[in-house]
Structures are given as structure tokens and as C-alpha cells.
Amino acid sequence: MEKMGEWEQRSLVSELTQGREVARQLQAHLNGASSSSYDIETREVLVQKIEASYEKALSILNCNVNTSSASAVVPLTPVIRMPESPNSRCGSPPSEDSDRSFRVSDASKKRKAPRWTQEVRVTPGTALEGPLDDGFSWRKYGQKDILGSRFPRGYYRCTHRNINGCLATKQVQRSDDDPTIFDITYVGTHSCRNVTSHLMSEKNQEQGPSASSMAAVEPQSSSSSQDLLLNFQKGLKVKTQDLEDQTYASLIPYTSSTSNVVFSWPSVIDNNRNFVSPATSGTDFGFGTCDDQIIQASAAASVTSSPTVGLDHFHQLDGNFTFDSNGFFRHG
DNA sequence: AAAATTTGACCATG
DNA sequence: CATGGTCAAATTTT
């Protein structure tokens, strides 16, 4: 509570504002006699969003991420958009061709419908790239060229995939027209703890592997400076290789300290009440097991001039790292 | 040496 | 059959 950067304050305000917005939406839903079944689902989503907003707000207040210089690494400003809004890139990024976003179709196969889109925009000052760290460890397991996209899409999965039964995966892809924009699609719920391999050497971690559906939605609830560090490292790496392409990216002036996150859920949730089976035992080799939620987030970050510079000299972390098992998603 | 990427092939789905 | 997602071996990085 010492001093809260403007950025943080803004984030906080935005967070709360959004929460209010969503609350209103929820009220609207409640008032307008819910007819269809998806209304109920929508309401659930709304509630979740509200919770998320609160969580984030609290996180901001609690952690107070006192990052001396680096100011924005973690996207924290979810703006919830109405469900029916198809493509609403917040207006700025005109890129993103038309289709290829999501097939709301489905509904003819199994029950994997719930897919909401989260749009995240991070602002500069931070050279974060694809590896938007959600506080989890991701391991790249593939990269594919996507038709219509000039940049390949990277596939990441939780490092503890079959260990903890964390079936979460994420896809990172840059926008075709805006190289500074990365679309990160989170899919699946991760049941692993945020355990970034720092302290916390708990042994008996079998208290409750059943991760709530919110897990993937609100991962980085307390991004500490350490996490940021990790981010930087990873980002650095990617940068190095993408530098060639990013060359011109660094020319793009993005100097608006505004971070926006837009939630959109085209088809709302279905019945993702599924519980990931207790760790182990599974060993299933990733196949659309029971991952129901797909969160897409596009993050845009402007690369200063030389991102690689100075990142190595990041110290002064570990100031507090108040991350105990305190605020963890909504208590089961 | 171990863990994480890379990369091409394989498989599933539309 | 084309497109996208995952696997798995080889390779690189720490």
C-alpha cells in the first residue's frame, strides 16, 4: 500500500468499472426474463466475470505489484463485452482478417461448446511477447503454419500436463497485420497450482485436484515480480528469434498506457462441470479430453527499441511475493 | 544431464 | 482432401 502506480490505479479502476458493468449486464439478464437456456449460462458467465473482476482488483490491491520500472506485463483490465458481440476488437486493431476466429457452430458433435474470447492488450514499457505468463509453466509442443496467417501458431501446454493432470494448453499467434498483437488462446482448465517452482515445496498436494472452471480464466492473480522476470526471459527468447520479423514491430508507437481485456463468449458455457480426474492415472496424450473452456486473449505489446537490453539486469525482485495459498481462485 | 524446443510426420476433423 | 492440432525424435539450452 505504499504507492500505487498510476497504471495500477487505472487497472484497478477499470477492473471495478468492468465489474460494475458486468453486474449491470447480469441484472439485465435477470430482469429480462430469461427464456432460453443459454441465458442461464450467460448468467453464469457473467457471475464468473464479476468474480474475476473482484479477484483481479483484490490482487492488485494486495500484491500491489511494486515493479519499479517495468510497468505492464500482465494484462489487467478485462472489459467484458456482451456475449453476442462477434468480433469486437476493441476498435483499434483493424487487422485480423475476417474469419478464422471461431466456429460457433459445433453443437453437432459432443459437448464442447463453451468458448469465450478474451482480448488482452498490454501496453508497452514492457516487451512481452507471446509468452504471456499466466503464472504457469508452459512447454511448447508444436508450431504450425496457419493458412491465412503469415505467422506460425505456437502450441503450448502446461509443463505438468500428465503429471498434475493439467490439460491446459495455449496457442500463441501474432496478428497478421499487427505484429505487436499476439493472440493467445487458452484452452482447457489447468489443475496445476501456480507453483512457479518457487518456494512452496508442499508435498501433500492432493487436497483437491479438481480445478474450478475459473482456473484458466484467472490465472495470474498475483503476478509477482518474479513472474515478470520469467516473462521477460521467455519473451526475450522469442524476441531473439522473431526479431527479424519484429524489426518493424518496434517501430510501431504504442504509447498509451492502457490495457484492455475484452471478454466475449460466443457460445457461452455448456456444462463444464467436469472435473479433471485426479492427477496421474490419466496419461492421456492430450486429446480434446474434457477441456471446455477456450479463452482467447490477444495481447499487444510494443517493443521499445532494444528489448533485449537491460532485461538481464533485472534485480530487485523478491520484495514481497506474498503469494501463499491465500487468494486462490474461488475457494472450491 | 535434464529439461525445453524444434521440426516433420501423423492423426482428427471439416 | 485440406487444415489444424498433437506427437515424438532430434536438437538445443540451461
Side-chain angles (χ1 to χ4, degrees), chain A residues 1-150:
Chain A
M1 312 169 27
E2 291 77 63
K3 115 195 226 182
M4 183 177 282
E6 280 186 25
W7 167 76
E8 291 174 358
Q9 199 154 357
R10 284 190 70 157
S11 296
L12 185 57
V13 172
S14 299
E15 205 63 58
L16 293 173
T17 304
Q18 288 154 34
R20 187 181 57 185
E21 268 306 307
V22 187
R24 284 176 181 168
Q25 292 180 21
L26 178 58
Q27 176 149 24
H29 269 268
L30 290 175
N31 285 338
S34 54
S35 45
S36 305
S37 56
Y38 70 82
D39 272 353
I40 299 173
E41 292 160 357
T42 300
R43 293 199 307 224
E44 279 218 19
V45 175
L46 289 174
V47 172
Q48 287 183 1
K49 297 308 166 197
I50 296 173
E51 280 187 88
S53 286
Y54 272 97
E55 293 272 345
K56 283 204 172 177
L58 287 175
S59 293
I60 295 173
L61 283 175
N62 277 330
C63 297
N64 190 16
V65 189
N66 57 348
T67 28
S68 343
S69 42
S71 37
V73 166
V74 196
L76 307 170
T77 315
V79 177
I80 290 115
R81 295 228 65 131
M82 274 321 250
E84 318 292 318
S85 49
N87 56 335
S88 45
R89 262 328 119 79
C90 204
S92 291
S95 52
E96 197 70 45
D97 47 292
S98 26
D99 53 323
R100 106 177 165 73
S101 26
F102 283 109
R103 274 297 155 79
V104 193
S105 53
D106 67 75
S108 48
K109 268 274 167 84
K110 299 155 187 191
R111 54 352 182 29
K112 44 161 55 176
R115 41 176 66 175
W116 53 75
T117 308
Q118 180 183 348
E119 226 174 77
V120 184
R121 280 194 95 179
V122 197
T123 323
T126 333
L128 84 163
E129 297 296 310
L132 265 174
D133 186 31
D134 351 62
F136 298 95
S137 309
W138 298 99
R139 168 178 167 280
K140 189 173 186 178
Y141 68 89
Q143 181 172 310
K144 256 281 188 167
D145 279 317
I146 304 304
L147 217 76
S149 297
R150 305 157 36 124

Side-chain angles (χ1 to χ4, degrees), chain A residues 207-244:
Chain A
Q207 39 185 8
S210 59
S212 303
S213 46
M214 287 297 292
V217 188
E218 274 281 57
Q220 84 280 341
S221 47
S222 65
S223 59
S224 63
S225 21
Q226 291 196 2
D227 288 326
L228 302 188
L229 254 236
L230 291 177
N231 278 335
F232 281 133
Q233 293 181 354
K234 283 194 176 178
L236 247 190
K237 210 156 158 212
V238 176
K239 181 95 31 156
T240 308
Q241 100 173 23
D242 296 338
L243 209 57
E244 304 167 64

Side-chain angles (χ1 to χ4, degrees), chain A residues 138-168:
Chain A
W138 298 99
R139 168 178 167 280
K140 189 173 186 178
Y141 68 89
Q143 181 172 310
K144 256 281 188 167
D145 279 317
I146 304 304
L147 217 76
S149 297
R150 305 157 36 124
F151 307 104
R153 176 181 300 170
Y155 298 87
Y156 300 80
R157 80 200 302 177
C158 183
T159 326
H160 316 288
R161 47 174 188 153
N162 17 319
I163 299 176
N164 280 347
C166 191
L167 302 168

